[in-house]
């Protein structure tokens, strides 16, 4: 830390208890009381340097040989006046960044200007402040910290000047000017070394990033820190840099934010400082942090926002603060993880294990913002693009996230059906390329709530689009006794339709490849490599078609066996009831049906038989124990 030496005489002050004595050999003729400390001094050195002391001495010394003067409002108290007294006596003292602000305002209060002596304390402190302190990052920061204790710090704009100095330096690379920084790692020396005495032989400082000043400014009090951030923003420092500083400041003084993050050297070093902060002060700090954070999307990490929201719930922050944090998270919900959403319920009612209502509000904010910004819609995004694209659209990512959240909260027996159904239905249909995640969540919910009425089960299962279930999910659903019969029939129908379409597509592609192969064989100059590739592709497709044929054949045999059993039980010959079932369930069959080779696709009578079997099995085992849940 830089310093400036004043005075030339040796120290002539001695302390005895709560009193200071000047040991110059002459008896003291004045006592100056500052706080609980008494200074036994001499009148002449004081009145020759201070206009205030000159007037006070003149007022109280009339008729008294020894006068007593009380100075109750000296900036910095007795410690500062001790330095003032030494300056008046010409005793050696040092101006530093820690005491220059106190001495600057004490000299103004005591009128220690050039009128009462050349090179007076007011001039000396102002010179040191401008030429030394404000030119150095560390000294400017130290001087700014001392402004907290001085109520009149704004009169001479010292606080503003320190903030302006820090702002200017934060915009510049400190390596260019050699400004000292606190705790910023070792030197790196590709072409030299640093000797034991600090002399560098070709070493250069480690390259600093834009966050080199974060740790330093986090030592400021909240009012000064707010002013510094506001000034930096007005000077054009990027908002993402300011957001990083605010996040570090919050983590330092809000212990709750560090509980959900991995421990590292920084957090472990800061934890002892933050443990003593009372909850009311933490609540005020959190609300101020919320106002400081930039509102633009993506500037603040989503995990940090969730940490703030959890802490705000624990500290019972203002409703406006909670709503603002939920809105911030909703703007970038696609960047969240499932762990972030699993926020415990801190309410006294404890209806559910997790804060279900909060997640619902966050999703509503996201959907509203997605609609305003013109997010993905059924017309703008193709299903094949959603399934095959490595980077999903935000709405699709959120849909997958919400489905995962529903899977986690579904086992909660206290979770009411309307809440669960409302959150599942809040996600637009076009946001889910597949409904496997939704089906798994509903299956777990039905398993954990076996007392639900049949009408409630059917109403909940209507959220599932059977056409968007994978083959594995369809197979599981067809055997799931927890599902209503109507849903099982729908699943069987669309599974059959999917098989027909797949087989027809395989035949069509196979015919096209055979024709292309014959055409290429007749062309001159065809290479052996192209012929081998075509043969390999044709073989792969034929293997796929064989598998399809075997699957269809198995289904046909199973349907035929079921029909014979039903006919034996009912005593009547089976008839095609598919029209009645289709009409009852309200199916809308596609007008375009692909035809395959004879004997490769099962007919409608087979589907009817399979439906009859599912109906019979569902009635027989409705009250039996449930099967295992579907795992994605």
């Amino acid at each position: 830390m830089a310093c400036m030496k004043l005075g030339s005489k040796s120290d002539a002050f001695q302390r005895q208890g709560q009193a200071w004595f000047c040991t110059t050999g002459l008896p003291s003729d004045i006592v100056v009381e500052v706080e609980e400390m008494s200074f036994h001094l001499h009148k002449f050195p004081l009145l020759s340097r201070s206009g205030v002391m000159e007037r006070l001495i003149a007022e109280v010394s009339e008729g008294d040989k020894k006068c007593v003067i009380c100075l109750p409002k000296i900036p910095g108290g007795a410690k500062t006046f001790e330095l003032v007294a030494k300056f008046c006596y010409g005793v050696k003292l040092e101006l530093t960044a820690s005491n220059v602000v106190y001495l600057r305002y004490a000299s103004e209060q005591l009128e220690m200007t050039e009128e009462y002596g050349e090179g007076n304390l007011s001039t000396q402190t102002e010179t040191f402040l401008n030429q030394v302190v404000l030119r150095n990052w560390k000294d400017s920061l130290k001087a700014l910290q001392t402004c907290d204790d001085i109520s009149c710090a704004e009169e001479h704009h010292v606080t503003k000047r320190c903030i302006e100095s820090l702002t200017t330096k934060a915009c510049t690379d400190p390596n260019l000017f050699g400004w000292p920084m606190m705790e910023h790692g070792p030197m790196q020396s590709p072409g030299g070394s640093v000797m034991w005495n600090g002399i560098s032989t070709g070493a250069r400082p480690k390259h600093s990033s834009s966050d080199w000043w974060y740790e330093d400014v986090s030592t400021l009090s909240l009012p000064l820190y707010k002013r510094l951030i506001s000034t930096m923003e007005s000077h054009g420092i990027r908002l993402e840099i300011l957001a990083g500083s605010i996040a570090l400041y919050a983590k330092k003084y809000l212990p709750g934010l560090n509980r959900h993050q991995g421990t590292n050297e920084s957090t472990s070093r800061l934890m002892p400082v933050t443990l003593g902060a009372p909850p009311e002060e933490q609540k005020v700090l959190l609300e101020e942090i919320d106002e400081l954070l930039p509102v633009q999307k993506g500037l603040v990490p989503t995990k940090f926002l969730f940490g703030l929201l959890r802490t705000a719930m624990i500290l019972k922050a203002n409703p406006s603060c909670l709503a603002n944090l939920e809105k911030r998270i909703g703007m970038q919900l696609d960047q969240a993880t499932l762990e972030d959403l699993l926020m415990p319920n801190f309410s006294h009612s404890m209806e559910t294990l997790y804060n279900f209502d909060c997640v619902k509000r966050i999703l509503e904010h996201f959907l509203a913002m997605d609609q305003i910004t013109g997010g993905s819609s059924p017309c703008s995004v193709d299903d094949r693009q959603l399934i095959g694209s490595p980077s999903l659209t935000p709405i699709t990512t959120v849909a997958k996230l919400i489905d995962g959240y529903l899977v986690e909260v579904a086992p909660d027996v206290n979770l009411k059906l309307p809440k669960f159904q409302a959150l599942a239905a809040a996600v637009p249909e076009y946001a889910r390329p597949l409904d496997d995640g939704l089906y798994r969540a509903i299956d777990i919910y039905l398993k954990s709530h076996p007392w639900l009425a049949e009408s409630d089960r059917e109403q909940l299962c209507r959220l599932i689009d059977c056409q968007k279930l994978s083959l594995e999910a369809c197979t599981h659903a067809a055997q799931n006794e927890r599902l209503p019969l109507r849903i099982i029939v729908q699943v069987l129908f669309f599974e059959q339709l999917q098989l027909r379409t797949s087989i027809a597509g395989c035949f069509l592609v196979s015919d096209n490849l055979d024709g292309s192969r014959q055409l290429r064989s007749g062309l001159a100059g065809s290479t052996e490599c192209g012929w081998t590739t075509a043969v390999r592709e044709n073989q792969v497709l034929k293997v796929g078609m064989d598998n399809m044929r075997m699957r269809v054949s198995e289904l046909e045999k199973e349907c035929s066996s079921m029909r014979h059993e039903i006919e034996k039980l009912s005593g009547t010959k089976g008839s095609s009831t598919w029209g009645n079932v289709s009409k009852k369930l309200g199916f809308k069959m596609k007008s375009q049906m692909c035809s395959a080779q004879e004997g490769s696709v099962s007919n409608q009578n087979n589907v009817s038989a399979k439906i009859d079997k599912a109906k019979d099995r569902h009635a027989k085992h409705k009250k039996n124990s449930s099967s295992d849940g579907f795992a994605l």
Side-chain angles (χ1 to χ4, degrees):
M1 183 182 298
C3 65
M4 178 179 178
K5 295 182 179 181
L6 301 178
S8 57
K9 298 180 181 179
S10 59
D11 194 354
F13 285 82
Q14 183 178 1
R15 180 175 177 175
Q16 297 179 5
Q18 293 296 103
W20 280 94
F21 295 91
C22 182
T23 59
T24 57
L26 299 176
S28 63
D29 53 5
I30 184 174
V31 177
V32 181
E33 295 182 350
V34 181
E35 295 178 344
E36 298 179 355
M37 190 70 67
S38 299
F39 293 86
H40 299 263
L41 306 174
H42 304 87
K43 296 179 181 179
F44 180 75
L46 298 179
L47 60 85
S48 63
R49 286 288 189 175
S50 170
V52 172
M53 295 300 296
E54 182 182 16
R55 290 193 298 271
L56 292 176
I57 291 173
E59 292 174 2
V60 296
S61 62
E62 295 178 358
D64 293 338
K65 293 183 179 180
K66 191 171 184 178
C67 61
V68 178
I69 298 176
C70 182
L71 300 176
K73 296 182 180 181
I74 292 293
K79 189 173 183 180
T80 299
F81 187 78
E82 175 191 348
L83 297 177
V84 171
K86 289 182 178 181
F87 177 82
C88 293
Y89 278 86
V91 175
K92 295 178 182 179
L93 63 94
E94 289 185 352
L95 290 180
T96 64
S98 301
N99 62 28
V100 66
V101 178
Y102 295 116
L103 291 173
R104 178 71 180 86
Y105 288 110
S107 65
E108 288 294 328
Q109 185 174 338
L110 296 174
E111 297 182 11
M112 301 178 69
T113 62
E114 293 297 303
E115 298 177 4
Y116 297 92
E118 185 178 356
N120 212 340
L121 185 59
S122 179
T123 303
Q124 296 285 0
T125 53
E126 183 68 21
T127 301
F128 179 71
L129 192 64
N130 289 331
Q131 296 184 1
V132 179
V133 174
L134 296 181
R135 294 185 179 184
N136 183 278
W137 167 268
K138 189 175 181 180
D139 291 338
S140 298
L141 183 67
K142 193 65 178 178
L144 180 60
Q145 290 172 340
T146 60
C147 293
D148 261 336
D149 302 330
I150 304 175
S151 58
C152 57
E154 296 298 333
E155 294 181 5
H156 300 282
H157 307 289
V158 174
T159 303
K160 181 179 179 181
R161 289 153 63 188
C162 290
I163 290 177
E164 291 286 345
S165 173
L166 294 175
T167 301
T168 303
K169 293 172 176 57
C171 299
T172 312
D173 186 357
N175 292 330
L176 297 177
F177 302 96
W179 294 326
M181 296 177 293
M182 298 169 60
E183 301 178 5
H184 279 284
M187 303 280 283
Q188 61 179 10
S189 177
S193 60
V194 179
M195 301 176 66
W196 62 271
N197 57 0
I199 299 177
S200 173
T201 59
R204 55 186 177 86
K206 185 178 181 180
H207 180 70
S208 61
S209 58
S210 57
D211 61 350
W212 61 268
W213 50 272
Y214 284 5
E215 184 71 24
D216 296 344
V217 301
S218 67
T219 58
L220 296 174
S221 64
L222 181 59
L224 290 178
Y225 180 78
K226 287 173 59 180
R227 289 188 57 181
L228 177 62
I229 293 297
S230 178
T231 304
M232 287 182 172
E233 183 178 358
S234 63
H235 279 65
I237 294 184
R238 298 198 309 274
L239 293 178
E240 58 267 25
I241 296 179
L242 298 181
S245 174
I246 297 171
L248 186 141
Y249 191 89
K251 292 175 184 178
K252 183 171 184 176
Y253 297 103
L254 293 174
L257 295 178
N258 298 320
R259 296 173 185 170
H260 303 280
Q261 300 176 3
T263 57
N264 52 46
E265 183 181 356
S266 177
T267 55
S268 61
R269 185 178 63 253
L270 298 176
M271 282 300 292
V273 181
T274 61
L275 289 178
E280 191 61 30
E281 291 184 8
Q282 294 186 33
K283 175 184 173 182
V284 174
L285 172 61
L286 189 145
E287 293 171 353
E288 294 288 349
I289 291 295
D290 174 56
E291 296 180 0
L292 281 177
L293 288 172
V295 297
Q296 288 80 357
K297 174 183 177 181
L299 297 182
V300 183
T302 307
K303 185 174 292 293
F304 172 73
L305 291 176
F306 271 104
L308 283 180
L309 183 57
R310 288 192 193 93
T311 307
M313 293 176 181
I314 296 174
L315 298 175
K316 295 180 174 57
N318 294 333
S320 59
C321 177
L322 293 172
N324 194 23
L325 289 173
E326 290 176 357
K327 187 176 181 180
R328 289 177 183 272
I329 295 173
M331 293 174 59
Q332 52 193 60
L333 183 58
D334 55 303
Q335 302 174 11
T337 62
L338 179 57
E339 182 184 1
D340 296 332
L341 290 182
L342 296 176
M343 294 178 291
N345 193 350
F346 297 106
S347 64
H348 296 288
S349 60
M350 290 295 292
E351 295 180 356
T352 56
L353 180 62
Y354 297 105
N355 198 328
F356 200 85
D357 296 332
C358 179
V359 175
K360 179 69 163 51
R361 291 191 297 267
I362 291 174
L363 177 61
E364 291 173 351
H365 287 308
F366 173 81
L367 295 176
M369 184 60 59
D370 186 72
Q371 187 176 5
I372 293 174
T373 56
S376 302
S377 64
C379 300
S380 61
V381 179
D382 187 8
D383 289 343
R384 289 176 296 178
Q385 292 178 346
L386 287 174
I387 297 175
S389 176
S391 57
L392 301 179
T393 60
I395 185 68
T396 308
T397 304
V398 170
K400 184 177 181 181
L401 181 66
I402 294 299
D403 288 345
Y405 178 76
L406 290 173
V407 169
E408 292 294 330
V409 301
D412 189 353
V413 295
N414 294 324
L415 181 58
K416 304 300 181 183
L417 176 62
K419 287 187 175 183
F420 183 86
Q421 187 173 357
L423 183 60
V427 180
E429 293 183 2
Y430 64 85
R432 291 187 175 103
L434 290 175
D435 273 11
D436 288 14
L438 179 60
Y439 165 69
R440 183 187 179 196
I442 292 177
D443 182 37
I444 296 176
Y445 187 83
L446 293 178
K447 183 178 180 180
S448 303
H449 301 75
W451 55 83
L452 288 179
E454 187 71 18
S455 58
D456 294 336
R457 290 170 175 265
E458 185 170 347
Q459 183 181 8
L460 179 60
C461 291
R462 285 177 183 175
L463 296 174
I464 304 174
D465 186 354
C466 297
Q467 300 184 68
K468 296 165 68 174
L469 291 178
S470 66
L471 188 59
E472 292 80 6
C474 286
T475 304
H476 185 276
Q479 304 173 4
N480 193 344
E481 298 175 359
R482 288 184 288 270
L483 299 181
L485 178 61
R486 178 189 181 96
I487 301 300
I488 295 179
V489 174
Q490 288 183 0
V491 169
L492 290 173
F493 169 75
F494 287 113
E495 182 184 17
Q496 187 75 7
L497 187 61
Q498 185 180 7
L499 285 172
R500 288 190 176 201
T501 306
S502 300
I503 295 175
C506 289
F507 283 135
L508 181 61
V509 172
S510 177
D511 293 341
N512 292 337
L513 284 178
D514 289 341
S516 300
R517 184 187 62 183
Q518 294 175 3
L519 180 61
R520 286 197 301 270
S521 64
L523 295 176
S526 60
T527 62
E528 183 180 355
C529 179
W531 172 263
T532 304
T533 303
V535 172
R536 186 183 300 110
E537 293 175 354
N538 195 14
Q539 290 176 350
V540 171
L541 289 174
K542 285 186 176 181
V543 171
M545 287 189 295
D546 292 339
N547 293 334
M548 287 291 182
R549 290 192 186 97
M550 293 176 61
R551 173 63 174 162
V552 173
S553 178
E554 292 175 359
L555 290 176
E556 288 177 349
K557 292 179 181 179
E558 185 179 354
C559 290
S560 178
S561 176
M562 287 191 296
R563 175 175 293 277
H564 288 312
E565 292 178 3
I566 293 174
E567 288 177 355
K568 290 179 181 179
L569 293 175
S570 61
T572 59
K573 293 184 178 180
S575 59
S576 178
T577 60
W578 176 253
N580 296 332
V581 175
S582 176
K583 194 173 297 181
K584 180 179 179 181
L585 299 176
F587 289 143
K588 295 181 180 180
M589 294 190 61
K590 298 182 180 179
S591 59
Q592 184 178 1
M593 298 291 295
C594 298
S595 60
Q597 293 182 4
E598 181 178 0
S600 63
V601 182
S602 61
N603 52 33
Q604 295 179 353
N605 292 333
N606 296 331
V607 180
S608 176
K610 196 169 185 179
I611 294 172
D612 293 339
K613 180 184 177 183
K615 192 172 186 179
D616 182 65
R617 186 175 70 249
H618 185 273
K620 183 182 300 182
H621 301 285
K622 185 177 181 180
K623 296 183 179 180
N624 291 347
S625 59
S626 59
S627 59
D628 295 338
F630 170 66
L632 293 177

